[in-house]
Amino acid sequence: MEKLQPIVDFLLTYKSIFSALILLVIWLLRRFLLSMIRGNDAFISEKQRNWMSKTKNGSFALILIILFILWQSEINQFALSVTAIAVAIVVASKEIILCFTGSIQRASSRSFRIGDWIEVGKLSGEVLEHNMMATVIQEIDLHHGQYHYTGKTATLPNSMFFTYPVKNLNFMKRYVYHNFHIVVKDFVNLYPMIPDLTVKIEEHCAYFSDVAIRYNAMIEKHAGLDLPGAEPHIHITSNLNAEQIVHYMIFCPTDKANHLENLIRKDFMDMYEQRFPVKSD
Protein backbone atom coordinates (compact mmCIF):
# COMPACT_ATOMS: atom_id res chain seq x y z
CA MET A 1 0.00 0.00 0.00
CA GLU A 2 2.90 2.34 0.84
CA LYS A 3 4.38 1.68 -2.62
CA LEU A 4 1.13 2.71 -4.29
CA GLN A 5 0.79 5.92 -2.28
CA PRO A 6 3.35 7.90 -4.36
CA ILE A 7 1.54 6.87 -7.56
CA VAL A 8 -1.83 7.95 -6.11
CA ASP A 9 -0.35 11.26 -4.97
CA PHE A 10 1.17 11.82 -8.41
CA LEU A 11 -2.12 11.15 -10.19
CA LEU A 12 -4.07 13.40 -7.83
CA THR A 13 -1.49 16.14 -8.34
CA TYR A 14 -1.57 15.86 -12.12
CA LYS A 15 -5.29 15.42 -12.63
CA SER A 16 -5.12 15.92 -16.39
CA ILE A 17 -2.95 12.79 -16.74
CA PHE A 18 -5.27 10.91 -14.36
CA SER A 19 -8.30 12.04 -16.39
CA ALA A 20 -6.68 10.88 -19.63
CA LEU A 21 -6.00 7.45 -18.10
CA ILE A 22 -9.58 7.17 -16.89
CA LEU A 23 -10.89 8.07 -20.34
CA LEU A 24 -8.57 5.52 -21.97
CA VAL A 25 -9.59 2.70 -19.60
CA ILE A 26 -13.32 3.38 -19.97
CA TRP A 27 -12.98 3.71 -23.76
CA LEU A 28 -11.17 0.35 -24.00
CA LEU A 29 -13.74 -1.28 -21.71
CA ARG A 30 -16.55 0.24 -23.79
CA ARG A 31 -15.07 -1.09 -27.04
CA PHE A 32 -14.61 -4.53 -25.51
CA LEU A 33 -18.21 -4.68 -24.27
CA LEU A 34 -19.61 -3.43 -27.61
CA SER A 35 -17.61 -6.05 -29.52
CA MET A 36 -18.85 -8.75 -27.13
CA ILE A 37 -22.47 -7.63 -27.60
CA ARG A 38 -22.20 -7.41 -31.40
CA GLY A 39 -20.27 -10.66 -31.82
CA ASN A 40 -19.79 -11.85 -35.40
CA ASP A 41 -23.36 -11.21 -36.53
CA ALA A 42 -23.76 -9.53 -39.90
CA PHE A 43 -26.93 -7.78 -38.77
CA ILE A 44 -27.58 -6.27 -35.37
CA SER A 45 -30.78 -7.38 -33.64
CA GLU A 46 -33.08 -5.07 -31.70
CA LYS A 47 -31.92 -6.60 -28.41
CA GLN A 48 -28.26 -6.05 -29.35
CA ARG A 49 -28.98 -2.42 -30.29
CA ASN A 50 -30.67 -1.93 -26.94
CA TRP A 51 -27.70 -3.28 -24.98
CA MET A 52 -25.23 -1.33 -27.13
CA SER A 53 -27.14 1.87 -26.44
CA LYS A 54 -27.18 1.12 -22.70
CA THR A 55 -23.43 0.47 -22.77
CA LYS A 56 -22.69 3.75 -24.55
CA ASN A 57 -24.97 5.78 -22.29
CA GLY A 58 -23.64 4.04 -19.17
CA SER A 59 -20.00 4.66 -20.09
CA PHE A 60 -20.77 8.31 -20.82
CA ALA A 61 -22.55 8.73 -17.48
CA LEU A 62 -19.67 6.97 -15.67
CA ILE A 63 -17.14 9.34 -17.25
CA LEU A 64 -19.17 12.37 -16.19
CA ILE A 65 -19.51 11.15 -12.60
CA ILE A 66 -15.82 10.26 -12.19
CA LEU A 67 -14.56 13.48 -13.77
CA PHE A 68 -16.97 15.55 -11.70
CA ILE A 69 -15.73 13.92 -8.47
CA LEU A 70 -12.09 14.30 -9.54
CA TRP A 71 -12.38 17.95 -10.58
CA GLN A 72 -15.00 18.99 -7.99
CA SER A 73 -12.88 21.64 -6.31
CA GLU A 74 -11.85 23.19 -9.63
CA ILE A 75 -15.46 23.13 -10.82
CA ASN A 76 -16.59 24.91 -7.65
CA GLN A 77 -13.97 27.62 -8.15
CA PHE A 78 -14.92 27.97 -11.80
CA ALA A 79 -18.62 28.21 -10.92
CA LEU A 80 -17.91 31.04 -8.51
CA SER A 81 -15.78 32.85 -11.07
CA VAL A 82 -18.44 32.74 -13.79
CA THR A 83 -21.40 33.79 -11.65
CA ALA A 84 -21.39 37.20 -13.30
CA ILE A 85 -21.72 35.71 -16.78
CA ALA A 86 -24.06 32.85 -15.85
CA VAL A 87 -26.96 34.31 -17.84
CA ALA A 88 -24.80 34.61 -20.94
CA ILE A 89 -23.69 30.98 -20.60
CA VAL A 90 -27.31 29.81 -20.30
CA VAL A 91 -28.30 31.75 -23.42
CA ALA A 92 -25.30 30.47 -25.36
CA SER A 93 -25.95 26.86 -24.34
CA LYS A 94 -29.72 26.99 -24.84
CA GLU A 95 -29.73 24.27 -27.51
CA ILE A 96 -27.59 21.95 -25.39
CA ILE A 97 -29.88 22.44 -22.39
CA LEU A 98 -32.92 21.73 -24.57
CA CYS A 99 -31.29 18.52 -25.82
CA PHE A 100 -30.66 17.35 -22.26
CA THR A 101 -34.18 18.23 -21.11
CA GLY A 102 -35.61 16.64 -24.27
CA SER A 103 -33.81 13.43 -23.34
CA ILE A 104 -35.31 13.61 -19.84
CA GLN A 105 -38.76 14.25 -21.32
CA ARG A 106 -38.39 11.22 -23.63
CA ALA A 107 -37.28 8.96 -20.78
CA SER A 108 -40.01 10.12 -18.41
CA SER A 109 -42.85 9.88 -20.96
CA ARG A 110 -41.54 6.60 -22.44
CA SER A 111 -42.70 7.79 -25.83
CA PHE A 112 -40.47 5.32 -27.67
CA ARG A 113 -37.58 2.89 -27.26
CA ILE A 114 -34.92 1.36 -29.49
CA GLY A 115 -36.53 -0.58 -32.35
CA ASP A 116 -39.73 1.48 -32.44
CA TRP A 117 -40.92 3.25 -35.57
CA ILE A 118 -41.41 6.95 -34.89
CA GLU A 119 -42.32 10.10 -36.80
CA VAL A 120 -40.95 13.48 -35.74
CA GLY A 121 -41.92 16.36 -37.99
CA LYS A 122 -41.36 15.21 -41.59
CA LEU A 123 -38.87 12.50 -40.60
CA SER A 124 -39.86 8.92 -39.85
CA GLY A 125 -37.82 5.82 -39.18
CA GLU A 126 -36.75 3.06 -36.83
CA VAL A 127 -34.90 4.13 -33.68
CA LEU A 128 -31.33 2.81 -33.75
CA GLU A 129 -29.85 4.68 -30.81
CA HIS A 130 -30.61 7.47 -28.37
CA ASN A 131 -28.45 9.31 -25.87
CA MET A 132 -28.51 12.53 -23.84
CA MET A 133 -28.05 14.75 -26.90
CA ALA A 134 -29.60 13.08 -29.93
CA THR A 135 -31.65 10.20 -31.33
CA VAL A 136 -30.51 8.26 -34.41
CA ILE A 137 -33.11 6.72 -36.73
CA GLN A 138 -32.96 4.58 -39.86
CA GLU A 139 -35.20 6.50 -42.26
CA ILE A 140 -38.33 4.80 -43.63
CA ASP A 141 -40.31 6.13 -46.60
CA LEU A 142 -43.79 6.33 -45.07
CA HIS A 143 -45.04 9.47 -46.83
CA HIS A 144 -45.11 7.73 -50.24
CA GLY A 145 -46.75 4.55 -48.91
CA GLN A 146 -43.66 2.40 -49.50
CA TYR A 147 -42.79 1.33 -45.92
CA HIS A 148 -39.20 0.46 -46.82
CA TYR A 149 -35.85 1.70 -45.56
CA THR A 150 -34.29 4.44 -47.66
CA GLY A 151 -30.73 3.57 -46.63
CA LYS A 152 -30.31 6.95 -44.90
CA THR A 153 -29.79 7.55 -41.20
CA ALA A 154 -30.98 10.74 -39.55
CA THR A 155 -29.71 12.20 -36.28
CA LEU A 156 -32.43 14.14 -34.46
CA PRO A 157 -31.40 16.56 -31.70
CA ASN A 158 -33.53 15.85 -28.64
CA SER A 159 -34.62 19.49 -28.62
CA MET A 160 -36.95 18.56 -31.52
CA PHE A 161 -39.18 16.71 -29.02
CA PHE A 162 -40.30 20.12 -27.69
CA THR A 163 -40.97 21.51 -31.19
CA TYR A 164 -42.68 18.57 -32.93
CA PRO A 165 -45.02 15.88 -31.63
CA VAL A 166 -43.46 12.42 -31.46
CA LYS A 167 -45.67 9.82 -33.15
CA ASN A 168 -45.00 6.21 -32.18
CA LEU A 169 -45.76 4.05 -35.22
CA ASN A 170 -44.54 0.80 -33.73
CA PHE A 171 -47.69 -1.19 -34.57
CA MET A 172 -47.03 -0.38 -38.25
CA LYS A 173 -43.95 -2.62 -38.21
CA ARG A 174 -46.25 -5.62 -38.67
CA TYR A 175 -49.60 -4.38 -40.01
CA VAL A 176 -50.65 -1.07 -41.50
CA TYR A 177 -53.75 0.73 -42.74
CA HIS A 178 -52.65 1.15 -46.35
CA ASN A 179 -54.46 3.92 -48.23
CA PHE A 180 -54.33 4.56 -51.97
CA HIS A 181 -56.68 5.78 -54.69
CA ILE A 182 -57.41 5.40 -58.38
CA VAL A 183 -58.53 8.34 -60.53
CA VAL A 184 -61.14 7.66 -63.24
CA LYS A 185 -61.40 10.34 -65.90
CA ASP A 186 -64.80 9.37 -67.33
CA PHE A 187 -67.84 10.16 -65.19
CA VAL A 188 -69.50 6.73 -65.19
CA ASN A 189 -71.36 4.74 -62.53
CA LEU A 190 -68.68 2.86 -60.58
CA TYR A 191 -70.81 1.81 -57.62
CA PRO A 192 -71.94 -1.55 -59.10
CA MET A 193 -68.26 -2.53 -59.22
CA ILE A 194 -67.72 -2.15 -55.46
CA PRO A 195 -69.08 -5.60 -54.38
CA ASP A 196 -66.93 -7.42 -56.95
CA LEU A 197 -63.88 -5.34 -56.00
CA THR A 198 -64.45 -6.15 -52.33
CA VAL A 199 -64.63 -9.89 -53.11
CA LYS A 200 -61.35 -9.66 -55.05
CA ILE A 201 -59.63 -7.87 -52.17
CA GLU A 202 -60.87 -10.48 -49.69
CA GLU A 203 -59.46 -13.22 -51.93
CA HIS A 204 -56.05 -11.53 -51.99
CA CYS A 205 -56.14 -11.07 -48.20
CA ALA A 206 -57.56 -14.50 -47.30
CA TYR A 207 -54.23 -16.03 -46.23
CA PHE A 208 -53.67 -13.46 -43.44
CA SER A 209 -57.23 -12.29 -42.66
CA ASP A 210 -57.53 -14.21 -39.35
CA VAL A 211 -54.21 -12.83 -38.06
CA ALA A 212 -55.18 -9.33 -39.22
CA ILE A 213 -58.47 -9.47 -37.29
CA ARG A 214 -56.69 -10.56 -34.08
CA TYR A 215 -53.94 -7.96 -34.49
CA ASN A 216 -56.49 -5.23 -35.17
CA ALA A 217 -58.41 -6.22 -32.02
CA MET A 218 -55.18 -6.14 -30.01
CA ILE A 219 -54.39 -2.61 -31.24
CA GLU A 220 -57.94 -1.47 -30.39
CA LYS A 221 -57.60 -2.88 -26.86
CA HIS A 222 -54.16 -1.32 -26.36
CA ALA A 223 -55.21 2.09 -27.69
CA GLY A 224 -58.70 2.03 -26.19
CA LEU A 225 -60.18 3.25 -29.48
CA ASP A 226 -62.66 1.97 -32.03
CA LEU A 227 -60.52 1.53 -35.16
CA PRO A 228 -61.95 1.12 -38.70
CA GLY A 229 -61.52 -2.65 -38.57
CA ALA A 230 -59.59 -5.25 -40.57
CA GLU A 231 -62.07 -5.48 -43.47
CA PRO A 232 -61.36 -3.58 -46.73
CA HIS A 233 -62.97 -0.17 -47.21
CA ILE A 234 -63.86 1.38 -50.58
CA HIS A 235 -65.54 4.72 -51.20
CA ILE A 236 -65.87 7.03 -54.19
CA THR A 237 -65.51 10.81 -54.38
CA SER A 238 -65.06 13.32 -57.18
CA ASN A 239 -62.85 16.36 -57.73
CA LEU A 240 -63.29 19.75 -59.38
CA ASN A 241 -62.37 18.29 -62.77
CA ALA A 242 -65.39 15.95 -62.67
CA GLU A 243 -63.02 13.01 -62.24
CA GLN A 244 -64.02 10.18 -59.92
CA ILE A 245 -61.60 9.02 -57.24
CA VAL A 246 -61.86 5.47 -55.90
CA HIS A 247 -60.36 5.37 -52.39
CA TYR A 248 -59.10 2.12 -50.92
CA MET A 249 -58.06 1.30 -47.37
CA ILE A 250 -56.83 -2.18 -46.46
CA PHE A 251 -55.39 -3.55 -43.23
CA CYS A 252 -52.52 -5.76 -44.26
CA PRO A 253 -48.95 -6.84 -43.41
CA THR A 254 -46.63 -3.89 -43.91
CA ASP A 255 -44.25 -5.79 -46.19
CA LYS A 256 -47.16 -6.90 -48.43
CA ALA A 257 -48.86 -3.50 -48.80
CA ASN A 258 -47.34 -2.48 -52.15
CA HIS A 259 -47.78 -5.94 -53.67
CA LEU A 260 -51.46 -5.99 -52.67
CA GLU A 261 -51.96 -2.47 -54.01
CA ASN A 262 -50.65 -3.55 -57.44
CA LEU A 263 -52.95 -6.59 -57.47
CA ILE A 264 -55.98 -4.45 -56.55
CA ARG A 265 -55.15 -1.84 -59.19
CA LYS A 266 -54.92 -4.58 -61.80
CA ASP A 267 -58.28 -6.01 -60.71
CA PHE A 268 -59.91 -2.60 -60.96
CA MET A 269 -58.51 -1.95 -64.43
CA ASP A 270 -59.62 -5.38 -65.68
CA MET A 271 -63.15 -4.88 -64.32
CA TYR A 272 -63.34 -1.34 -65.63
CA GLU A 273 -62.24 -2.45 -69.09
CA GLN A 274 -64.86 -5.21 -69.15
CA ARG A 275 -67.69 -2.99 -67.87
CA PHE A 276 -66.81 0.10 -69.90
CA PRO A 277 -65.05 -1.09 -73.07
CA VAL A 278 -63.39 1.51 -75.21
CA LYS A 279 -65.54 2.32 -78.21
CA SER A 280 -63.62 2.45 -81.46
CA ASP A 281 -64.41 5.25 -83.89
Side-chain angles (χ1 to χ4, degrees):
M1 187 68 182
E2 293 179 358
K3 293 181 179 180
L4 293 176
Q5 191 62 39
I7 298 175
V8 173
D9 293 338
F10 175 81
L11 292 175
L12 292 176
T13 303
Y14 298 96
K15 292 183 180 181
S16 57
I17 297 176
F18 194 18
S19 300
L21 288 174
I22 291 171
L23 291 174
L24 178 62
V25 171
I26 294 178
W27 179 74
L28 291 174
L29 180 62
R30 178 176 176 267
R31 287 202 62 180
F32 173 74
L33 290 175
L34 289 176
S35 63
M36 289 289 292
I37 294 169
R38 183 182 183 111
N40 297 321
D41 299 334
F43 300 99
I44 303 175
S45 67
E46 183 177 324
K47 186 177 180 181
Q48 286 174 309
R49 284 202 194 104
N50 202 9
W51 277 108
M52 290 173 73
S53 178
K54 288 179 180 179
T55 302
K56 292 176 182 178
N57 292 335
S59 61
F60 180 70
L62 183 62
I63 289 172
L64 288 181
I65 293 170
I66 293 176
L67 292 181
F68 178 80
I69 294 173
L70 182 62
W71 293 89
Q72 186 174 6
S73 59
E74 286 79 0
I75 292 172
N76 290 336
Q77 294 176 6
F78 176 76
L80 291 173
S81 64
V82 299
T83 302
I85 57 171
V87 176
I89 292 175
V90 171
V91 173
S93 58
K94 175 185 175 183
E95 193 66 23
I96 297 175
I97 294 172
L98 284 174
C99 287
F100 273 105
T101 51
S103 176
I104 295 171
Q105 186 269 341
R106 175 199 59 77
S108 61
S109 64
R110 298 180 181 179
S111 52
F112 62 86
R113 62 178 183 174
I114 290 177
D116 286 357
W117 284 15
I118 64 170
E119 182 178 352
V120 184
K122 294 183 179 180
L123 293 173
S124 55
E126 181 176 340
V127 180
L128 299 180
E129 181 183 350
H130 55 69
N131 52 47
M132 295 297 290
M133 296 298 295
T135 298
V136 182
I137 64 172
Q138 181 74 48
E139 190 179 40
I140 300 172
D141 186 13
L142 295 181
H143 296 289
H144 297 95
Q146 298 298 313
Y147 315 107
H148 60 68
Y149 295 104
T150 64
K152 303 174 185 176
T153 57
T155 301
L156 311 177
N158 291 337
S159 58
M160 289 183 67
F161 301 152
F162 292 109
T163 308
Y164 301 99
V166 179
K167 300 178 183 178
N168 192 312
L169 313 175
N170 199 39
F171 83 92
M172 291 176 62
K173 291 179 70 173
R174 288 191 59 196
Y175 277 77
V176 65
Y177 282 107
H178 184 58
N179 295 273
F180 61 96
H181 62 268
I182 300 173
V183 179
V184 179
K185 184 177 180 181
D186 298 326
F187 203 85
V188 293
N189 187 9
L190 300 175
Y191 283 94
M193 295 174 57
I194 291 180
D196 293 335
L197 290 171
T198 303
V199 170
K200 282 288 186 181
I201 295 173
E202 289 174 347
E203 290 176 0
H204 294 314
C205 301
Y207 68 96
F208 63 80
S209 60
D210 292 340
V211 178
I213 292 171
R214 290 197 300 269
Y215 193 72
N216 184 267
M218 184 190 72
I219 296 171
E220 284 186 334
K221 184 178 180 181
H222 178 74
L225 299 172
D226 184 17
L227 298 178
E231 66 278 2
H233 295 77
I234 305 174
H235 69 277
I236 301 171
T237 62
S238 58
N239 58 23
L240 296 175
N241 298 321
E243 296 172 334
Q244 296 190 90
I245 305 173
V246 184
H247 300 269
Y248 288 89
M249 185 177 72
I250 57 174
F251 188 71
C252 64
T254 304
D255 57 350
K256 298 288 190 294
N258 292 300
H259 175 66
L260 290 169
E261 177 181 339
N262 288 329
L263 293 177
I264 295 168
R265 287 182 180 274
K266 181 180 181 300
D267 290 338
F268 177 85
M269 292 177 184
D270 290 342
M271 289 185 188
Y272 185 85
E273 188 177 20
Q274 293 175 6
R275 186 172 289 269
F276 305 104
V278 178
K279 297 180 182 179
S280 56
D281 296 333

